[in-house]
Amino acid sequence: MIDLSTAGSIPIHAHGDVSRGAHTDERSRHMPIHNWMLALAICLMVISPRIASGEDTDTPLAGQPHQTEIFGQEIHVPPRDRRHVTAINMGMNWIPDGPKRLELLPFGALFIWHNWEEENRRFRGTISGVFNDIQYQHGLSSTSPWFAAMTFENVIIPFGRYEYVEGQAIKDVDLQWNYFFAGMGFGYRTSVSPGFQDNVVEVSLTYEPGYRWFDRSSKTSQNFTVPQNTYEGRVHARLRVDKFERNLMELLHHGVAFGGDAIYGHRSQWRQWGDPEFETPDNHDDPTFMLASFYAALAGKVPFVPTERHRLVVTMYGGIGKNLDRFSTFRLPGRPTGYEWEALSRPLIPGVAFNELFPRKYAIANLTYRYEALFFLYPYIRGTWSAIERARFNGDGSIRNQVDMLPAVGGGIVSGAPWGSQIEINYSYNFGIYRDRHGPKLGGNSVVVFWSKLL
């Protein structure tokens, strides 16, 4: 599944929201890029105080007015209303030697956020056509913390999708599969410190009836048993806690956030499906499944450094499930991730193509160092540790599940851009991912360019 949810980085004037081993010479060819990214970050740290006024002023916060001086010119940033946002997000993910269909993948979506606080109503939508994710909440009264919730999610992709094992495409399991879910339920929402409009504790419980349908493609093996079209009902429990201050570029500045999702699903019409040669994840006929995921994030000053320009950001993600198959399991990383309060819950693992991994359990931790070179310019470096279940080949060519470590390093820059927009450029190298360079090799690069603008 290609999930194109991109409700993360929002512009400056918008919301904020068949060898198995790796050869040393293969990795060493990419190390100069790592050194280049580190050198760029250090260079910006050294020269930026001279570019700016030289004074250590407080970091401007999202939505707040800010006045500073650059090149002797007075700069004034007016306040803005972060409760109402319509933004377009577009980007490109380039993975050299990556999955063939995903090696160069454009993505984009329309992001809409409205928070009518006086009416106790909220709407959040990520709309791209092939993928749409919509949430609407209506308070039981203008002051009640309790609300009725409605949700809608769908994926409709008019061509087959196969899976990847150790960087190799398993085309025999190519299949068209789509779905939609429309849910209703209730929840509780209350504001918390530091008191911005996205600082809340929110709990909800919804029932999400939906439908899944399947079809062969021209590549599907004759031995592949197509799953049966079916009604699927899901009970979805959800928790979001956000106590973050965000800076002018909507990046996490100070605070904490955490939450998670738990889903119980049942399919009314289900049967044994799949190909005997591709048994991973389980292609069983159990009609019920369960999964749970969590996330946590923490941001603050670098210890023993007095200035606010230096920040450390830690994000952690995990998930586990039972009776999960190809169509109910987790998909990593799934989408470009961002810093808006709901997008923050999406797992971040650098150097992996959209939905390339489909584990039944995973754990991910990211440590990011970020520097405020200018009030609109933020270079960063990031290290990632992850333990992820993935499909691997046995010696006889059969496939098994195995938990592997996928460490990664990288860096990038987030900056204001012309016409009141925002751009992020990121490079990552994942040491544990398999890439197809005349046979699978460990280690691969990725470059992501992400642009967003308020409409």
Side-chain angles (χ1 to χ4, degrees), residues 88-108:
I88 185 170
N89 303 307
M90 297 187 297
M92 185 78 69
N93 190 10
W94 177 43
I95 300 181
D97 302 310
K100 291 180 174 58
R101 288 183 175 178
L102 307 177
E103 186 168 352
L104 186 62
L105 183 67
F107 55 83

Side-chain angles (χ1 to χ4, degrees), residues 387-402:
I388 299 174
E389 182 189 67
R390 61 176 171 177
R392 294 289 303 276
F393 287 116
N394 292 314
D396 60 0
S398 61
I399 297 171
R400 71 185 188 277
N401 279 323
Q402 176 177 307

Side-chain angles (χ1 to χ4, degrees), residues 291-310:
L291 58 84
S293 62
F294 77 91
Y295 72 97
L298 175 69
K301 295 171 60 177
V302 175
F304 312 112
V305 177
T307 174
E308 285 192 342
R309 293 179 181 271
H310 305 270

Side-chain angles (χ1 to χ4, degrees), residues 221-241:
S221 169
Q222 294 301 314
N223 296 325
F224 189 92
T225 302
V226 176
Q228 189 167 341
N229 297 345
T230 182
Y231 170 88
E232 181 180 312
R234 308 189 306 196
V235 178
H236 184 177
R238 175 177 166 275
L239 169 67
R240 300 289 185 268
V241 179

Side-chain angles (χ1 to χ4, degrees), residues 164-166 278-284 321 323-326 329 357-361 388-394 398-404:
Y164 296 89
V165 179
E166 297 187 9
F278 189 77
E279 298 285 348
T280 303
D282 296 334
N283 56 350
H284 50 71
N323 296 337
L324 301 183
D325 61 21
R326 179 182 176 187
T329 193
L357 302 177
F358 43 99
R360 294 174 297 185
K361 50 189 173 184
I388 299 174
E389 182 189 67
R390 61 176 171 177
R392 294 289 303 276
F393 287 116
N394 292 314
S398 61
I399 297 171
R400 71 185 188 277
N401 279 323
Q402 176 177 307
V403 176
D404 288 335

Side-chain angles (χ1 to χ4, degrees), residues 268-419:
S268 63
Q269 303 291 330
W270 206 238
R271 65 185 181 189
Q272 190 79 20
W273 61 270
D275 190 322
E277 295 183 2
F278 189 77
E279 298 285 348
T280 303
D282 296 334
N283 56 350
H284 50 71
D285 57 0
D286 195 320
T288 64
F289 63 90
M290 294 179 286
L291 58 84
S293 62
F294 77 91
Y295 72 97
L298 175 69
K301 295 171 60 177
V302 175
F304 312 112
V305 177
T307 174
E308 285 192 342
R309 293 179 181 271
H310 305 270
R311 312 305 287 182
L312 288 179
V313 181
V314 178
T315 57
M316 294 173 287
Y317 304 90
I320 192 168
K322 181 181 180 181
N323 296 337
L324 301 183
D325 61 21
R326 179 182 176 187
F327 312 109
S328 59
T329 193
F330 302 103
R331 289 280 164 169
L332 299 179
R335 56 194 60 77
T337 54
Y339 316 100
E340 180 259 350
W341 77 288
E342 176 67 21
L344 187 60
S345 67
R346 315 298 189 185
L348 171 62
I349 175 170
V352 177
F354 292 164
N355 300 309
E356 179 180 3
L357 302 177
F358 43 99
R360 294 174 297 185
K361 50 189 173 184
Y362 67 90
I364 304 167
N366 299 283
L367 174 62
T368 302
Y369 165 75
R370 192 181 69 231
Y371 180 66
E372 181 187 338
L374 297 169
F375 74 94
F376 61 88
L377 184 65
Y378 293 85
Y380 64 87
I381 55 176
R382 176 184 294 134
T384 299
W385 173 90
S386 59
I388 299 174
E389 182 189 67
R390 61 176 171 177
R392 294 289 303 276
F393 287 116
N394 292 314
D396 60 0
S398 61
I399 297 171
R400 71 185 188 277
N401 279 323
Q402 176 177 307
V403 176
D404 288 335
M405 304 300 171
L406 280 78
V409 296
I413 190 167
V414 178
S415 175
W419 308 293

